[in-house]
């Protein structure tokens, strides 16, 4: 009886590939959005708008009128975490209900779902440590990891369930992987730049002690290396006729140039908050564009159904 009910439920609420794909895409957007809103918390000096965690105050889980606009901003960002978690839960439930379920999809859905509370815990630690810049940087990088997992999940929903095959020669796949690693390193160094700058999230928050000019130069050098590798990928993909990979590399170069322009302008205009927020959004876009290039170096092909075999002919027996 229980089996019959579950079958009826699956028929009544079918999880179509389109629904699963849209939910996975919404998860990417939600995780990018919470990075931007988290930046707004820091840029408005609202990082300690709720001075403790998991409660907002020692007596209340929500903000109070006495806490003013900073409390509202910080508490709103905490509420957004629940919205992002609900979307991740919806994706996980859709993956569990999907029949047939593509291989490797469930671990990715679990990783995204568990990444949300893990990221929230790190965010709580940033409050409890009074916005320690190293913990703040780890909080940002945790969000980047969740975005990467969400992107992998989304790509898996749009691919057939077959084996992966390379679309470019092995040296170019290695170059794409190297570019991805450099992109990750640029993100890490970017958090060091942030930790040395003026936007601490609260007027009394400490800085990491690094020289802002020196670490900004290291970050800029990493960006130049990343752009150089990306341009090399673009021309190499074109040379071997990898159209899809070349298109992804062209998008990556364009995103990097835009992000680099924002970075230079914000540096020479003394880090206005609006440009810093745009730069945080650009960091997410650079990560996604980098992953798109990495995915373009391989593809999954649909599994061909086994060829039908004709039934063996019965032997003819001569009549007696």
């Amino acid at each position: 009886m229980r089996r019959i009910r579950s079958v009826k439920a699956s028929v009544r609420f079918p999880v179509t590939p389109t629904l699963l794909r849209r939910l996975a895409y919404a998860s990417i957007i939600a995780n990018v959005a919470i990075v931007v809103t988290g930046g707004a918390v820091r840029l408005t000096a609202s990082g300690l708008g709720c001075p403790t965690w998991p409660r907002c105050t020692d007596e209340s889980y929500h903000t109070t009128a006495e806490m003013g606009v900073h409390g509202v901003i910080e508490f709103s960002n905490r509420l957004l975490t629940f919205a992002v978690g609900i979307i991740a839960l919806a994706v996980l439930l859709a993956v569990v209900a999907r029949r047939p379920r593509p291989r490797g999809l469930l671990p990715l859905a679990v990783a995204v779902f568990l990444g949300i509370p893990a990221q929230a815990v790190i965010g709580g630690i940033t409050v409890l440590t009074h916005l320690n810049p190293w913990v703040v940087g780890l909080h940002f990088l945790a969000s980047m990891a969740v975005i990467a997992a969400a992107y992998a999940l989304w790509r898996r929903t749009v691919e057939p369930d077959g084996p992966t095959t390379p679309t470019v020669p092995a040296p170019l796949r290695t170059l794409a992987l190297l570019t991805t690693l450099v992109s990750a390193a640029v993100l890490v160094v970017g958090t060091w730049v942030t930790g040395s700058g003026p936007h601490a999230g609260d007027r009394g928050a400490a800085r990491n002690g690094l020289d802002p000019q020196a670490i900004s130069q290291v970050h800029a050098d990493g960006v130049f290396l990343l752009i150089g590798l990306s341009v090399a990928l673009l021309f190499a993909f074109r040379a071997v006729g990898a159209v899809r990979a070349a298109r992804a590399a062209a998008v990556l170069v364009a995103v990097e140039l835009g992000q680099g322009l924002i970075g230079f302008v914000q540096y020479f205009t003394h880090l206005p908050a609006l440009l810093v927020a745009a730069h945080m959004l650009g960091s997410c876009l650079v990560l996604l564009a980098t992953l798109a290039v990495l995915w373009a170096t391989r593809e999954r092909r649909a599994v061909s159904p086994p060829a039908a075999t004709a039934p063996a002919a019965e032997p003819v027996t001569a009549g007696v």
Side-chain angles (χ1 to χ4, degrees):
M1 182 64 69
R2 190 174 300 172
R3 174 64 177 170
I4 293 175
R5 289 178 180 174
S6 64
V7 171
K8 288 182 177 179
S10 64
V11 173
R12 191 177 305 168
F13 303 106
V15 178
T16 64
T18 300
L19 174 60
L20 185 57
R21 182 166 59 249
R22 288 176 178 175
L23 285 173
Y25 194 71
S27 183
I28 296 175
I29 295 175
N31 279 284
V32 171
I34 202 168
V35 169
V36 178
T37 59
V41 172
R42 180 170 56 84
L43 294 170
T44 56
S46 303
L48 295 178
C50 287
T52 188
W53 188 88
R55 296 188 178 191
C56 190
T57 68
D58 291 333
E59 296 80 22
S60 175
Y61 281 97
H62 57 82
T63 185
T64 62
E66 292 79 7
M67 301 171 68
V69 66
H70 294 304
V72 172
I73 293 173
E74 162 66 2
F75 183 69
S76 299
N77 190 63
R78 293 189 183 189
L79 289 180
L80 185 59
T81 301
F82 288 98
V84 177
I86 289 172
I87 295 174
L89 177 60
V91 174
L92 177 59
L93 294 177
V95 169
V96 170
R98 180 79 178 102
R99 294 293 185 274
R101 183 188 307 148
R103 291 177 299 172
L105 200 58
L106 184 58
L108 288 170
V110 171
V112 174
F113 177 68
L114 295 181
I116 305 302
Q119 190 257 16
V121 169
I122 298 173
I125 294 174
T126 66
V127 174
L128 297 177
T129 58
H130 302 286
L131 305 182
N132 180 290
W134 300 106
V135 182
V136 172
L138 180 61
H139 189 212
F140 174 80
L141 294 176
S143 295
M144 294 294 103
V146 175
I147 290 174
Y151 179 83
L153 172 65
W154 173 70
R155 289 302 299 257
R156 191 67 191 88
T157 64
V158 301
E159 296 174 330
D161 199 20
T164 58
T165 56
T167 59
V168 298
L172 296 188
R173 296 200 303 274
T174 302
L175 182 58
L177 179 59
L178 176 61
T179 303
T180 304
L181 295 176
V182 172
S183 181
V186 168
L187 287 175
V188 172
V189 178
T191 65
W192 301 349
V193 176
T194 299
S196 68
H199 297 293
D202 186 80
R203 292 180 179 86
R207 301 284 73 203
N208 60 20
L210 299 176
D211 179 69
Q213 186 173 0
I215 195 62
S216 295
Q217 183 61 56
V218 173
H219 183 57
D221 292 341
V223 171
F224 286 131
L225 175 60
L226 177 60
I227 293 176
L229 290 171
S230 302
V231 171
L233 278 175
L234 173 59
F235 284 104
F237 288 154
R238 286 182 175 178
V240 299
V243 177
R244 186 167 66 95
R247 189 181 302 116
V251 172
L252 174 60
V253 171
V255 172
E256 289 169 347
L257 291 176
Q259 174 74 336
L261 177 61
I262 294 173
F264 276 108
V265 172
Q266 72 170 4
Y267 179 80
F268 289 109
T269 55
H270 306 293
L271 303 176
L274 189 60
L275 285 182
V276 174
H279 200 59
M280 293 186 68
L281 174 60
S283 297
C284 299
L285 298 180
V286 169
L287 173 63
L288 292 171
T290 304
L291 294 175
V293 171
L294 189 62
W295 253 258
T297 62
R298 31 76 76 196
E299 65 180 357
R300 285 185 182 271
R301 296 178 179 175
V303 179
S304 302
T309 57
E314 297 183 1
V316 178
T317 305
V320 178

